[in-house]
Amino acid sequence: MSTSKILTAVLSATLFVALPATSAIAGGKKESKQCGGAPCEGEIDIELQILKACELLVGKDIKLVEDSYTGASSFQVTTNTPYTLNLSTMNAGTSADTFVKHETTTDKVATKITTSKGGVNYPIGSTPVAGMSVDNFTVSVAPKSAISGTQRAGTYKDTLYIKVAY
């Protein structure tokens, strides 16, 4: 072997030994391991983070028509975490004493709003829900008592607000 090849091999070996053991990834270094001829071991942690997500699909508006003055709709909540279902109305807030209000006067008609899922009722206000599924809710609305023949003519309105919080 020529002198220059031997010198190159010795210098390469010297440089290799003289360098400290460091991580190959800048800024992501966990720790330095020097083995000294023994087996070296290390680990890289793996983490997956799935963010909380919610999808709310709201059904059609409810029209209380003269033949029965009752109506129904639905909404669907898809979440990947437990949540709180917050129901309120424009006219009554979180009170269960809901009503529709005449659009130009102070006349009111008391209503009952029933929100349910799988045979369980969810009242106006806040209710915890297990979530982590596709939850299909039905909403039905009816007057609390019969509409009298002297009830002021006109359009009466309210709005059901649906909020999902976690």
Side-chain angles (χ1 to χ4, degrees):
M1 187 179 265
S2 75
T3 306
S4 67
K5 286 185 179 179
I6 294 173
L7 185 57
T8 304
V10 170
L11 285 174
S12 295
T14 304
L15 289 173
F16 180 76
V17 172
L19 293 175
T22 59
S23 171
I25 301 174
K29 183 170 78 169
K30 282 183 84 169
E31 64 182 79
S32 176
K33 302 266 184 178
Q34 293 189 9
C35 303
C40 284
E41 294 180 7
E43 67 272 344
I44 296 174
D45 295 330
I46 299 170
E47 182 177 296
L48 169 66
Q49 181 180 16
I50 298 175
L51 301 176
K52 293 178 181 179
C54 172
E55 180 181 44
L56 175 62
L57 300 173
V58 179
K60 63 181 172 58
D61 292 342
I62 299 172
K63 306 283 185 196
L64 305 178
V65 294
E66 192 174 339
D67 60 345
S68 67
Y69 293 115
T70 63
S73 188
S74 62
F75 64 92
Q76 182 182 74
V77 178
T78 304
T79 63
N80 61 355
T81 187
Y83 63 94
T84 300
L85 179 64
N86 296 300
L87 300 174
S88 61
T89 65
M90 179 174 61
N91 294 338
T94 56
S95 170
D97 295 327
T98 62
F99 58 91
V100 288
K101 189 177 107 171
H102 194 275
E103 63 187 349
T104 60
T105 70
T106 59
D107 291 286
K108 301 174 187 177
V109 174
T111 57
K112 178 179 181 175
I113 299 175
T114 304
T115 303
S116 62
K117 174 182 74 93
V120 176
N121 288 338
Y122 291 79
I124 298 294
S126 298
T127 307
V129 181
M132 303 196 42
S133 63
V134 177
D135 295 327
N136 294 300
F137 293 89
T138 59
V139 178
S140 61
V141 181
K144 284 188 176 177
S145 58
I147 304 294
S148 90
T150 60
Q151 183 69 44
R152 180 183 297 272
T155 303
Y156 292 73
K157 293 186 176 185
D158 196 6
T159 301
L160 176 65
Y161 298 113
I162 304 158
K163 181 179 177 184
V164 175
Y166 39 78

